[in-house]
Amino acid sequence: MLLLILIFILTLLIINPNISSACIIETASLWFTNLVPILYPTFIVLDFLSNNKSLDLICTNFFGFFKKIFKINYPKSAVIIILSLICGAPSSTKLVLNALKNEEIDKTEAKNLIYCWSWFSISYSIFILNKLNCNTILYIILIFIASLLTFRFLNKPTKTNLIIKKQPKNFIDIFSSSFKKNIDILLTILGIMMFFNIILAMTEISPYIYSYFEVLNGHSLLNNLQINKKLKDILLISSLSFLGISTHLQIISVYQNINYIKFLTVKIVQSLFVSLFFITFVILF
């Protein structure tokens, strides 16, 4: 099956070289101007944050409070959840991976954090929601509730509440290891974006569903659609909650050992939850 898919893609590239080259140039430009200036420094900062003793102290002192609300088993998970809201995916996946490597959380909790708390950064969400004149506060509240409920459902208590962290690295070691590693991640993200944009352009997929595959271009197309405002809001809200298949693959490129079917199921449930309550609120009020 995989071989047939690869042959099909290669055939499309040979038949439509002009479309392929245009998509590659457009995607590379978007990646370089929009993603690299945000993601690369964010990745490096997250590497330093994951080795910061002050954050360890904060999450340990507030562990009891966060454990009751979020049903977490490790203090570091509290910081990961907070920073996930700020940096968004796939940056938040990088934070989870660092915590796992430092033995501050276990594999099960790491996966559940990725399944449930992977969503776009608050800054991007506010930007695109305001651009399309959609209720920003309502969306943020609903996606937070959806993430909280799914995490509490999936995450089970463990007998071991603390894991001893490894000796933190010094500044030079963190920066040197972070430099190359994060470039590799960004190049992988670029490749995934190019792949999706080429395939979507060649198949001439409808702008109504484009953002469920690739969000950045999809939301741009959605903004230009002349359709009913409520329908546009639902398409925006549901795709924003779902993240888009391209972003799913970007997350997997950072942390490969997740169950994608489980991840996909959680994203579908969250998207349906947010969309249903969003449109109910809009209709009633």
Side-chain angles (χ1 to χ4, degrees), residues 188 192 195-196 244-254 260:
T188 301
I192 293 170
F195 170 81
F196 267 88
I245 300 296
S246 176
T247 306
H248 293 185
L249 295 182
Q250 292 171 30
I251 291 170
I252 293 173
S253 73
V254 178
Y260 180 67

Side-chain angles (χ1 to χ4, degrees), residues 31-282:
W31 173 82
F32 187 75
T33 57
N34 289 15
L35 290 185
V36 172
I38 297 174
L39 287 184
Y40 189 65
T42 300
F43 281 161
I44 293 178
V45 169
L46 289 177
D47 280 333
F48 282 103
L49 287 175
S50 64
N51 288 275
N52 189 289
K53 292 183 179 180
S54 299
L55 284 178
D56 291 342
L57 180 62
I58 292 172
C59 63
T60 300
N61 288 337
F62 288 92
F63 176 57
F65 171 75
F66 281 106
K67 184 176 183 179
K68 290 180 180 179
I69 297 177
F70 297 105
K71 200 179 173 183
I72 56 177
N73 295 306
Y74 304 99
K76 192 68 175 184
S77 296
V79 171
I80 291 173
I81 290 173
I82 293 172
L83 292 179
S84 294
L85 311 183
I86 299 172
C87 65
S91 301
S92 57
T93 313
K94 182 74 162 48
L95 193 63
V96 172
L97 182 61
N98 286 342
L100 185 61
K101 287 181 176 179
N102 288 335
E103 299 182 354
E104 296 168 301
I105 57 176
D106 62 28
K107 290 183 179 179
T108 300
E109 187 138 324
K111 291 178 182 179
N112 289 335
L113 286 167
I114 294 172
Y115 296 149
C116 303
W117 292 101
S118 292
W119 35 306
F120 288 115
S121 66
I122 293 293
S123 58
Y124 177 77
S125 299
I126 292 174
F127 166 75
I128 192 63
L129 289 166
N130 286 338
K131 186 176 181 180
L132 274 71
N133 195 27
C134 198
N135 193 320
T136 304
I137 296 176
L138 179 59
Y139 168 77
I140 292 174
I141 292 173
L142 288 175
I143 190 62
F144 181 86
I145 293 173
S147 300
L148 177 62
L149 292 177
T150 50
F151 186 78
R152 287 183 63 88
F153 176 79
L154 290 177
N155 211 46
K156 306 302 179 185
T158 178
K159 294 181 180 179
T160 306
N161 288 324
L162 289 172
I163 295 180
I164 303 300
K165 183 182 176 182
K166 292 181 178 179
Q167 186 66 27
K169 300 177 182 178
N170 60 46
F171 179 90
I172 301 298
D173 290 338
I174 295 173
F175 185 79
S176 59
S177 63
S178 177
F179 183 79
K180 181 180 183 301
K181 181 171 54 179
N182 291 322
I183 288 178
D184 291 339
I185 292 173
L186 284 171
L187 289 175
T188 301
I189 291 174
L190 172 61
I192 293 170
M193 290 177 62
M194 285 181 174
F195 170 81
F196 267 88
N197 285 327
I198 290 171
I199 298 302
L200 292 173
M202 289 182 176
T203 54
E204 297 182 352
I205 194 165
S206 169
Y208 286 90
I209 62 173
Y210 197 108
S211 55
Y212 295 99
F213 293 92
E214 206 286 309
V215 170
L216 291 180
N217 286 330
H219 285 164
S220 178
L221 293 172
L222 184 61
N223 185 39
N224 295 326
L225 281 178
Q226 301 300 317
I227 58 175
N228 179 272
K229 178 64 169 59
K230 289 181 180 179
L231 176 58
K232 183 179 286 190
D233 286 348
I234 289 299
L235 293 174
L236 172 61
I237 291 297
S238 58
S239 62
L240 200 59
S241 306
F242 181 68
L243 292 181
I245 300 296
S246 176
T247 306
H248 293 185
L249 295 182
Q250 292 171 30
I251 291 170
I252 293 173
S253 73
V254 178
Y255 184 62
Q256 294 83 15
N257 298 323
I258 66 171
N259 183 332
Y260 180 67
I261 299 300
K262 194 172 185 179
F263 177 83
L264 180 63
T265 302
V266 171
K267 290 299 124 189
I268 291 174
V269 169
Q270 290 180 346
S271 180
L272 291 174
F273 175 90
V274 173
S275 302
L276 177 62
F277 280 92
F278 186 90
I279 195 61
T280 301
F281 183 89
V282 170

